[in-house]
C-alpha cells in the first residue's frame, strides 16, 4: 500500500503543490527552508493516522510541535494569500485529508476520509528516523515529555518506542539476517537495551553506553535495532531525515545499498538529503529495475514560490542545489590551480 501522492494548499512554505511518489525510493533535495522535512512529517502523520484512535490533525501537531499545539501555525504566512490550508494524502487504495485556517483552535481541523483510510490502511507500518540521533537520550525521555519538562516532537518519541518493541518472532529471522549482517560489519556489534538505556556491545567486549559511541555509529546501530525488532518489513514505509548527518562518508554507500535492498523487498523509502555522495550513489549502485525518484524543491526566481522538479536520475535534475554547489567548488579549485 505505497503512498501515491500528496496535495498541499497554503501549508507552511507551500502555496499550491501536488507531489506524486514512486513505490520505491523517494529522494528529496533542496535548500534549507523549502519543506523537505515538512513533506515527510505530513506523510508520516498520515501513515500513523491509520492506527485506531490516532487522528491526522492531532498527529500532525505532535510531529511539528507548533506553538501552543495550534495547527493554525502551519498555515502559509503570506498575508496576500488565502488563509485556508489543505492537505490530502493518497495511497493506492484510499486517501485522507484535512482543512484548517488561521482561526482553527488547537488541532480541530476538518478531516475527510479518516474512516476508510483506517479501514484500508490498518496494516500499514511506518517509521520516521529524525536527523539527530536520540537513543542516547532515551532514558526517561518519554515520561519527561509527558510531564512537559522537555519538548520533543513525536518523531523522536516514536523512534525510541520502535527501538524498544520487538515485533518479529524468533532471533534474527531469515529475512532480516542479510540486513543485520551488513550493518553488524559497520557498527561491529549488537544493540542491547536495559532499563531504558541503550548500549552497543562490540563482539566479546564490554558493552558501551550510547553516549560513548560516535553519533554516526549510533545511527547505524539504530537502523540495526529497527531491523532486528521487525519494525521495517515488506509493505512498510521508512522516512529518514538526512541519513548523512554526522555519518562517516565511507559508510554512505553501505546506507545506499541497504535502502536499495529494502525497496526491492517492497518497502517504500523517503529520504531527505543535502549530501552529494548520498544522492549520487543511488545513481551508481542502482539496478535497472530499481524504483528511484528524485524530488528537487527550489524557489522560482520569477514567482518566488516553492516549485518541484522530478527525475529518475540525480544527474538529470536541472534544479540541483547539491550538484550546483559541488560543481562550483570544482570550478573554484580549477581556477586556483591555473593561477
Amino acid at each position: 500500500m505505497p503512498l501515491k501522492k500528496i496535495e498541499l494548499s497554503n501549508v507552511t512554505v507551500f502555496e499550491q503543490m501536488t507531489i506524486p511518489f514512486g513505490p520505491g525510493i523517494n529522494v528529496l533535495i533542496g535548500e534549507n527552508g523549502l519543506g523537505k522535512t515538512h513533506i515527510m512529517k505530513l506523510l508520516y502523520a498520515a501513515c500513523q493516522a491509520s492506527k485506531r484512535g490516532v487522528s491526522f490533525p492531532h498527529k500532525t501537531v505532535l510531529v511539528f510541535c507548533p506553538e501552543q499545539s495550534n495547527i493554525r501555525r502551519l498555515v502559509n504566512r503570506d498575508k496576500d494569500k488565502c488563509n485556508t490550508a489543505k492537505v490530502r494524502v493518497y495511497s493506492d487504495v484510499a486517501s485522507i485529508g484535512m482543512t484548517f485556517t488561521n482561526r482553527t483552535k488547537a488541532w480541530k481541523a476538518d478531516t475527510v476520509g479518516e474512516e476508510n483510510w483506517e479501514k484500508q490502511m490498518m496494516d500499514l507500518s511506518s517509521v520516521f528516523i529524525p536527523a539527530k540521533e536520540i537513543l542516547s537520550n532515551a532514558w526517561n525521555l518519554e515520561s519527561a515529555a509527558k510531564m512537559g519538562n522537555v519538548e520533543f516532537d513525536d518523531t523522536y518519541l516514536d523512534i525510541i518506542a520502535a527501538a524498544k518493541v520487538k515485533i518479529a518472532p524468533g532471533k534474527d529471522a531469515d529475512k532480516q539476517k542479510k540486513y543485520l549482517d551488513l550493518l553488524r560489519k559497520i557498527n561491529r556489534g549488537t544493540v542491547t537495551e536495559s532499563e531504558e538505556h541503550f548500549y552497543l556491545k562490540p563482539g566479546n567486549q564490554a558493552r558501551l553506553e550510547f553516549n560513548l559511541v560516535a553519533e554516526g555509529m549510533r545511527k547505524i546501530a539504530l537502523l540495526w535495532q529497527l531491523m532486528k525488532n521487525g519494525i521495517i518489513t515488506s509493505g512498510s514505509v521508512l522516512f529518514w531525515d538526512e541519513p548523512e548527518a554526522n555519518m562517516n562518508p565511507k559508510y554512505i554507500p553501505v546506507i545506499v545499498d541497504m535502502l536499495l535492498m529494502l525497496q526491492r523487498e517492497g518497502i517504500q523509502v523517503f529520504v531527505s538529503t543535502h549530501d552529494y555522495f548520498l544522492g549520487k550513489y543511488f545513481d551508481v549502485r542502482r539496478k535497472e529495475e530499481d524504483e528511484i525518484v528524485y524530488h528537487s524543491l527550489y524557489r522560482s526566481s520569477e514567482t518566488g514560490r516553492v516549485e518541484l522538479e522530478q527525475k529518475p536520475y540525480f544527474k538529470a535534475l536541472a534544479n540541483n542545489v547539491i550538484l550546483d554547489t559541488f560543481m562550483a567548488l570544482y570550478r573554484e579549485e580549477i581556477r586556483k590551480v591555473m593561477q
Side-chain angles (χ1 to χ4, degrees):
M1 295 176 287
L3 301 177
K4 301 289 285 187
K5 68 176 178 178
I6 186 171
E7 294 176 345
L8 302 166
S9 176
N10 296 312
V11 180
T12 65
V13 300
F14 302 102
E15 293 185 24
Q16 298 289 334
M17 182 167 289
T18 297
I19 309 177
F21 302 115
I25 297 175
N26 294 270
V27 185
L28 284 74
I29 69 171
E31 297 181 21
N32 287 331
L34 295 185
K36 301 183 299 299
T37 303
H38 289 186
I39 291 169
M40 294 204 301
K41 283 188 172 184
L42 286 168
L43 293 173
Y44 176 67
C47 289
Q48 291 293 297
S50 65
K51 300 177 180 178
R52 184 172 298 175
V54 178
S55 79
F56 188 18
H58 189 205
K59 191 64 178 182
T60 298
V61 166
L62 292 176
V63 298
F64 277 90
C65 279
E67 188 177 88
Q68 297 180 343
S69 298
N70 284 320
I71 199 169
R72 64 172 179 262
R73 301 286 297 171
L74 304 184
V75 177
N76 186 286
R77 304 298 175 84
D78 192 331
K79 296 184 179 182
D80 295 329
K81 303 297 179 183
C82 175
N83 59 9
T84 298
K86 296 181 180 180
V87 180
R88 189 141 194 171
V89 176
Y90 297 81
S91 75
D92 53 351
V93 294
S95 70
I96 188 170
M98 61 180 172
T99 302
F100 52 94
T101 74
N102 55 6
R103 295 180 180 274
T104 300
K105 295 181 179 180
W107 52 84
K108 306 300 182 182
D110 295 325
T111 59
V112 293
E114 278 190 310
E115 184 176 347
N116 191 48
W117 181 264
E118 183 178 308
K119 179 181 178 181
Q120 297 296 329
M121 307 288 285
M122 61 184 299
D123 295 327
L124 179 64
S125 173
S126 62
V127 63
F128 191 111
I129 303 178
K132 182 172 176 58
E133 183 279 323
I134 195 64
L135 290 194
S136 55
N137 299 302
W139 182 79
N140 215 26
L141 179 62
E142 294 158 302
S143 298
K146 290 178 181 178
M147 293 292 293
N149 295 329
V150 296
E151 186 175 39
F152 279 90
D153 73 60
D154 251 25
T155 61
Y156 289 96
L157 300 176
D158 288 352
I159 199 66
I160 291 173
K164 291 180 179 180
V165 177
K166 185 174 179 62
I167 295 176
K171 181 180 179 181
D172 295 2
D174 290 340
K175 287 186 178 181
Q176 303 163 306
K177 192 174 187 304
K178 57 183 177 182
Y179 303 115
L180 298 178
D181 288 345
L182 178 61
L183 294 176
R184 190 181 285 115
K185 291 178 182 178
I186 300 175
N187 62 32
R188 301 182 184 89
T190 60
V191 180
T192 62
E193 186 258 335
S194 176
E195 298 180 351
E196 298 192 18
H197 288 76
F198 284 88
Y199 300 87
L200 180 65
K201 191 175 186 306
N204 295 323
Q205 301 178 31
R207 66 186 187 180
L208 293 171
E209 52 266 51
F210 258 41
N211 282 329
L212 300 183
V213 181
E215 182 163 345
M217 298 295 285
R218 282 181 253 156
K219 295 178 80 170
I220 295 293
L222 168 60
L223 191 59
W224 187 94
Q225 182 75 352
L226 295 175
M227 294 288 185
K228 183 176 184 295
N229 286 3
I231 302 298
I232 304 174
T233 59
S234 179
S236 63
V237 183
L238 169 63
F239 302 93
W240 198 348
D241 196 7
E242 299 184 18
E244 74 277 4
N246 296 306
M247 186 72 68
N248 188 323
K250 74 177 184 179
Y251 297 140
I252 295 298
V254 180
I255 295 298
V256 169
D257 284 343
M258 172 67 65
L259 294 176
L260 287 169
M261 291 167 64
L262 290 174
Q263 65 90 30
R264 290 168 195 154
E265 295 287 341
I267 296 163
Q268 190 176 25
V269 178
F270 291 84
V271 173
S272 73
T273 184
H274 294 281
D275 188 69
Y276 171 80
F277 296 105
L278 185 71
K280 189 63 178 174
Y281 262 115
F282 281 117
D283 274 1
V284 174
R285 295 290 179 96
R286 70 188 295 170
K287 296 180 180 179
E288 186 176 351
E289 65 271 18
D290 289 332
E291 297 275 1
I292 303 176
V293 180
Y294 292 90
H295 310 268
S296 177
L297 296 168
Y298 64 97
R299 195 172 294 279
S300 170
S301 58
E302 297 179 358
T303 65
R305 294 171 53 175
V306 177
E307 303 287 354
L308 173 71
E309 180 188 7
Q310 296 176 304
K311 296 290 182 181
Y313 289 92
F314 182 74
K315 62 183 179 181
L317 291 166
N319 298 279
N320 189 334
V321 65
I322 299 174
L323 185 57
D324 290 346
T325 304
F326 180 85
M327 293 305 297
L329 173 61
Y330 175 75
R331 288 191 292 268
E332 187 172 334
E333 185 178 23
I334 293 298
R335 282 196 299 270
K336 187 171 183 178
V337 171
M338 298 297 291
Q339 288 178 352

